[in-house]
Amino acid sequence: MSLSPARLERFARHIVLPEIGGAGQVALSEKHVVLIGLGGIGSPVLHYLAAAGIGRLTAVDDDVVDESNLQRQTLFTERDIGHGKAVAAKRWVCAFDAKIDLTIHDRRVTAENAGALFADADLVLDGTDNFATRLAVSDACVAAGVPLLSAAVGRFQGQVVAFAGHRGDQACYRCFVGDAFDAEDCDSCAEDGMLGAMAGWTGTFAALHAVRVLLDDVSTFGDPQWGTVHLLDGMTPAMRSFLIAKDPACSGCGSTG
Ligand SMILES: [Zn+2]
């Protein structure tokens, strides 16, 4: 597949980078990314993945835009208040780039429906804020053999990790957090607060990391760094990274699970 003259012009700043190049841009145009959660993280992720020319996007969120979302969820404007986030996101994508093949789902991801949603995805990016959904998404990614990019934010802290739990030697999200949170519907954002720009930093870093994962074995920028937790600290500010190991007894991906 090659890019039309208009697409070559649109993505010229990517293509001129030797670390991405024409081959990288063509690869991005052939990828399918499923984005779970259209909130503080999902907003910049959708902005930058759409801008990066990802060919096919699926966006999933069952929530409705609330006035208190506008402090950090940059996809939405005052006229979206009371409307579904998925529909509002579709409105933005259609205006931004009509060539993107976008599917929206105005529902919550569950263990029952996740498999069908992820079946032909190249990457699932989870920006939701509760553990039950995040664990269900992780288990479904392992089962479907799809990489998972997990991004979370609270107060002044962000966290981004790429998982390949379907591979025998790589950790999954459940190896990282354990089973304790399955039943918990924890929306710490409402209780603890969050600096809006922290969601922006974490979300744009997640979009950057998504491009790394998608270009694995395509161009030199490709480097998924599976299982490396990147912590973003907005107070200092600083970043630090550490590697997590696969838990052989993990109920999500372990050989004895
Ligand atoms: Zn695991």
Side-chain angles (χ1 to χ4, degrees):
M1 185 185 147
S2 61
L3 297 169
S4 68
R7 301 305 269 180
L8 288 171
E9 176 64 22
R10 183 164 184 139
F11 302 110
R13 299 298 183 282
H14 271 174
I15 293 165
V16 77
L17 291 168
E19 294 83 356
I20 295 181
Q25 192 60 47
V26 168
L28 294 177
S29 75
E30 292 170 342
K31 299 295 185 184
H32 176 205
V33 176
V34 177
L35 173 57
I36 314 294
L38 294 166
I41 288 172
S43 289
V45 164
L46 189 60
H47 284 142
Y48 279 97
L49 291 188
I54 308 299
R56 199 171 149 214
L57 294 169
T58 298
V60 190
D61 199 310
D62 69 339
D63 205 2
V64 167
V65 180
D66 180 83
E67 188 159 18
S68 68
N69 297 152
L70 302 183
Q71 168 256 11
R72 65 198 177 283
Q73 301 183 13
T74 54
L75 268 174
F76 312 120
T77 63
E78 288 179 353
R79 72 171 207 168
D80 297 316
I81 292 171
H83 295 255
K85 290 186 177 180
V87 172
K90 179 162 191 164
R91 207 158 35 220
W92 179 82
V93 171
C94 290
F96 178 74
D97 185 352
K99 292 238 167 1
I100 294 173
D101 178 0
L102 174 76
T103 305
I104 56 168
H105 295 281
D106 191 356
R107 58 179 156 149
R108 181 169 280 234
V109 174
T110 64
E112 289 69 38
N113 65 23
L117 282 172
F118 302 170
D120 62 351
D122 295 293
L123 176 68
V124 172
L125 201 157
D126 185 1
T128 59
D129 58 7
N130 78 81
F131 282 108
T133 300
R134 297 173 74 83
L135 287 164
V137 165
S138 174
D139 292 347
C141 282
V142 172
V146 176
L148 168 65
L149 186 54
S150 173
V153 64
R155 293 177 50 81
F156 298 90
Q157 300 287 331
Q159 171 192 295
V160 175
V161 200
F163 292 103
H166 54 286
R167 298 190 182 186
D169 57 343
Q170 297 294 340
C172 78
Y173 179 75
R174 194 180 280 279
C175 293
F176 182 37
V177 301
D179 298 334
F181 298 109
D182 266 314
E184 222 168 305
D185 193 9
C186 162
D187 184 358
S188 60
C189 173
E191 294 158 20
D192 295 342
M194 184 199 307
L195 188 80
M198 262 324 291
W201 183 21
T202 308
T204 50
F205 187 83
L208 178 82
H209 213 49
V211 173
R212 276 186 202 286
V213 172
L214 294 171
L215 293 183
D216 189 22
D217 292 330
V218 176
S219 72
T220 57
F221 187 67
D223 175 11
Q225 303 172 5
W226 304 125
T228 299
V229 180
H230 297 287
L231 292 179
L232 289 67
D233 167 14
M235 281 299 265
T236 307
M239 276 190 70
R240 79 188 169 90
S241 305
F242 59 92
L243 190 64
I244 50 169
K246 191 178 187 84
D247 175 3
C250 173
S251 64
C253 73
S255 51
T256 57

